[in-house]
Amino acid sequence: MRPDVGESRVRTVGPGLHIVENEPLERILFERGLIGLPHRRACFAASRLFLAHLADELVDAAELVILSKGLAYQLAAAADSVEINLPTNLVATTRLDVMADDAKVDVSYARFDADKPCLVVGDAVASGATVIAALDAYRQVHRLERLFLLSYAGSAVGARRIAEFCTRLGIEYTILYGLAAFGLGANGFDLSFTHPDTVTADVYRERARRLYGDRQVSGVGWDFGSQFMAPDKYRELSWLEARAHGLLDSPEFSFAREPRDLASLARESAAFGDSVDLP
């Protein structure tokens, strides 16, 4: 792995687990109002840097896109910057239930046409259940020997579970997280710099405190990727999040919009639960 690529740096925080620090990741994790094309472009820039760190190791690899949030990583296009072609596999998953540190996940669709022993996966990681379900589905069809997991925002809980899964099955793994290995909120969604279990540089913890005080506000929204894939939904979810934290008047959530109804937010209802007393 290349430890320094331009202004991007990697540091190791555990077996197979590394934290990447750079400006695009700072934008993704500290600018909650980053929506639309600016968010898409920041994600693309961060993915290019992830792949630049790994350019010497991505041999005979394919991407596994976990629909739909994995689309935010744009890995196949970003790989062009390091002269690598990433053939593409697709899998769709559904969260059937979300608990504090786990989730029940169903694989509803899979297209594994790119048979490679090494997979590159880009996805936000909470409990790790979605990634494990996707990898297990791939293993039923093809041999899997190596995993590179790239996450702009991932929890320590999820990294540990994925590492245990890979170790048990003899799969080599490398996990790259953006800025932190987050503690996971009790709702199973929140990834906060100020969570007591978060591993991150002090400068990022203090930056989060300046924005939100002692509130454990997530570095990413409750439906990551919706910033450019479904921005209206993101605004409404963020309004619920701001209300739950008492931050409706905060400039950091000035983009948020009160939802007209909760039907379109049902998949994320475990995130806000009873914490928001809607009229």
Side-chain angles (χ1 to χ4, degrees):
M1 185 186 302
R2 301 176 184 178
D4 295 285
V5 179
E7 297 300 315
S8 186
R9 303 158 302 283
V10 173
R11 60 189 181 95
T12 302
V13 295
L17 178 59
H18 313 272
I19 290 176
V20 181
E21 299 173 347
N22 55 55
E23 190 271 341
L25 287 169
E26 291 180 7
R27 294 199 67 199
I28 292 166
L29 290 165
F30 283 105
E31 296 182 29
R32 287 296 308 273
L34 194 67
I35 300 175
L37 281 177
H39 184 262
R40 183 192 295 269
R41 289 165 179 161
C43 289
F44 186 69
S47 289
R48 290 183 66 176
L49 291 170
F50 272 147
L51 294 173
H53 285 294
L54 298 172
D56 300 330
E57 302 182 55
L58 296 178
V59 178
D60 203 21
E63 181 184 7
L64 176 58
V65 180
I66 302 177
L67 300 169
S68 61
K69 304 309 175 288
L71 294 171
Y73 287 75
Q74 308 160 81
L75 291 179
D80 181 65
S81 64
V82 289
E83 300 293 324
I84 291 173
N85 180 60
L86 281 180
T88 302
N89 296 287
L90 301 171
V91 63
T93 63
T94 302
R95 289 190 303 261
L96 301 178
D97 191 17
V98 179
M99 294 144 277
D101 60 356
D102 200 359
K104 294 181 181 178
V105 176
D106 176 59
V107 174
S108 54
Y109 170 84
R111 187 73 181 261
F112 299 138
D113 292 340
D115 176 6
K116 296 292 183 181
C118 173
L119 287 182
V120 185
V121 178
D123 199 25
V125 177
S127 70
T130 295
V131 171
I132 289 172
L135 294 176
D136 203 39
Y138 182 85
R139 284 184 58 255
Q140 307 311 310
V141 181
H142 301 304
R143 184 177 82 261
L144 178 57
E145 299 175 352
R146 190 81 171 89
L147 169 68
F148 292 96
L149 174 60
L150 316 179
S151 183
Y152 306 141
S155 79
V157 168
R160 187 160 53 248
R161 289 189 63 194
I162 293 165
E164 290 170 354
F165 171 84
C166 289
T167 299
R168 175 165 52 84
L169 295 170
I171 302 167
E172 294 184 64
Y173 65 91
T174 298
I175 301 173
L176 299 186
Y177 274 178
L179 305 190
F182 287 103
L184 183 58
N187 62 359
F189 284 78
D190 287 334
L191 300 167
S192 169
F193 285 98
T194 57
H195 190 288
D197 295 337
T198 292
V199 177
T200 191
D202 288 342
V203 63
Y204 295 130
R205 207 183 315 273
E206 291 307 312
R207 184 171 172 180
R209 286 201 177 102
R210 288 197 299 272
L211 292 174
Y212 309 119
D214 290 329
R215 301 174 181 89
Q216 291 184 19
V217 176
S218 185
V220 292
W222 290 338
D223 185 23
F224 180 79
S226 61
Q227 286 96 316
F228 66 80
M229 289 191 282
D232 290 339
K233 178 183 179 182
Y234 177 72
R235 288 185 175 92
E236 293 182 352
L237 277 172
S238 295
W239 187 92
L240 293 174
E241 187 180 357
R243 180 160 179 164
H245 287 292
L247 290 170
L248 283 176
D249 294 330
S250 169
E252 304 305 320
F253 284 92
S254 60
F255 65 90
R257 186 177 69 197
E258 183 174 0
R260 289 167 290 187
D261 63 71
L262 298 182
S264 64
L265 311 180
R267 283 172 55 87
E268 290 75 32
S269 60
F272 49 90
D274 299 326
S275 64
V276 178
D277 182 21
L278 291 174

